[in-house]
């Protein structure tokens, strides 16, 4: 029994949405499978079908960027640190540029998550409570905050001791 085009696109959407660390690769693979691959249906996708796959990639990017900023993930195996969030956000921005997509939704979520993370770590450092060390330099952290529009608080300067050395 062969699948309808809608079912094939939905399957590819699922693959992109729940892909690993580089959603753009899953997106491009889905486009290739659906439009070019000898094993695929070789169809011409509508704008809305292509957009649906792009939005799946955006949602996955949002998930992996924010995941590494949320305090509830600090002790979980999925946590990769701020350095990974910076890397994934950069990939996300590049994807948005290439695909002419709006990045404001992910940027906004990442901004809130980063501010919350920094506020929590500054408070824990002040109270001499166990902190998460940052796998980025202070310069990278400040650059990421600026990119996200996070207003730096004076107490955030103390977080330099948690950062990697330049």
């Amino acid at each position: 029994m062969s699948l309808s085009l809608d079912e094939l696109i939905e399957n590819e959407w699922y693959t992109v949405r729940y892909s690993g660390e580089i959603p753009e690769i899953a997106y491009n693979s889905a486009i290739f499978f659906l439009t070019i691959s000898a094993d695929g249906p070789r169809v011409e996708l509508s704008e809305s079908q292509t957009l649906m796959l792009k939005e799946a990639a955006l949602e996955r990017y949002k998930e992996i960027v924010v995941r590494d900023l949320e305090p509830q993930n600090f002790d979980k195996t999925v946590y990769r640190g701020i350095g990974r969030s910076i890397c994934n956000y950069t990939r996300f921005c590049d994807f948005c540029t290439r695909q002419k997509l709006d990045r404001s939704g992910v940027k906004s979520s990442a901004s809130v998550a980063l501010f919350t993370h920094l506020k929590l770590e500054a408070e824990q450092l002040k109270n001499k409570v166990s902190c998460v060390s940052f796998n980025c330099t202070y310069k990278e952290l400040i650059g990421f905050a600026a990119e996200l529009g996070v207003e730096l608080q004076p107490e955030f300067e103390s977080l330099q001791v948690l950062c990697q050395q330049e």
Side-chain angles (χ1 to χ4, degrees):
M1 178 160 112
S2 65
L3 296 174
S4 72
L5 179 57
D6 286 343
E7 290 171 315
L8 286 169
I9 292 171
E10 186 176 325
N11 288 344
E12 292 304 309
W13 176 92
Y14 186 88
T15 300
V16 174
R17 174 60 185 90
Y18 297 102
S19 62
E21 291 292 306
I22 309 178
E24 183 171 10
I25 291 174
Y27 166 78
N28 287 323
S29 293
I31 296 296
F32 177 80
F33 171 73
L34 292 167
T35 63
I36 298 171
S37 175
D39 297 335
R42 292 183 165 185
V43 296
E44 186 172 325
L45 297 174
S46 70
E47 230 177 270
S48 66
Q49 291 167 327
T50 303
L51 182 59
M52 188 172 94
L53 294 170
K54 287 178 183 178
E55 287 173 346
L58 289 178
E59 282 302 309
R60 180 60 183 157
Y61 270 118
K62 178 180 175 181
E63 187 173 72
I64 64 177
V65 167
V66 172
R67 169 198 69 202
D68 293 319
L69 300 173
E70 293 184 323
Q72 66 265 27
N73 293 329
F74 294 172
D75 61 348
K76 295 182 181 169
T77 57
V78 297
Y79 179 72
R80 303 288 185 268
I82 290 179
R84 177 60 115 193
S85 188
I86 293 169
C87 179
N88 284 329
Y89 188 77
T90 301
R91 288 176 179 158
F92 158 75
C93 289
D94 292 344
F95 176 70
C96 287
T97 298
R98 282 190 287 280
Q99 299 298 327
K100 298 177 177 67
L101 298 170
D102 179 25
R103 58 178 86 155
S104 63
V106 173
K107 182 179 180 178
S108 176
S109 295
S111 175
V112 169
L114 180 62
F115 181 82
T116 302
H117 181 33
L118 297 178
K119 194 85 169 150
L120 174 69
E121 292 303 315
E123 186 66 28
Q124 288 186 325
L125 190 60
K126 178 181 161 191
N127 294 326
K128 297 180 171 71
V129 177
S130 179
C131 295
V132 175
S133 48
F134 297 165
N135 58 349
C136 62
T137 65
Y138 188 68
K139 183 178 178 180
E140 291 167 330
L141 179 62
I142 297 306
F144 188 42
E147 173 70 25
L148 295 177
V150 171
E151 188 177 324
L152 296 175
Q153 306 295 304
E155 66 268 22
F156 291 173
E157 199 170 310
S158 67
L159 298 173
Q160 289 184 57
V161 299
L162 302 175
C163 295
Q164 293 177 345
Q165 297 302 309
E166 304 244 3

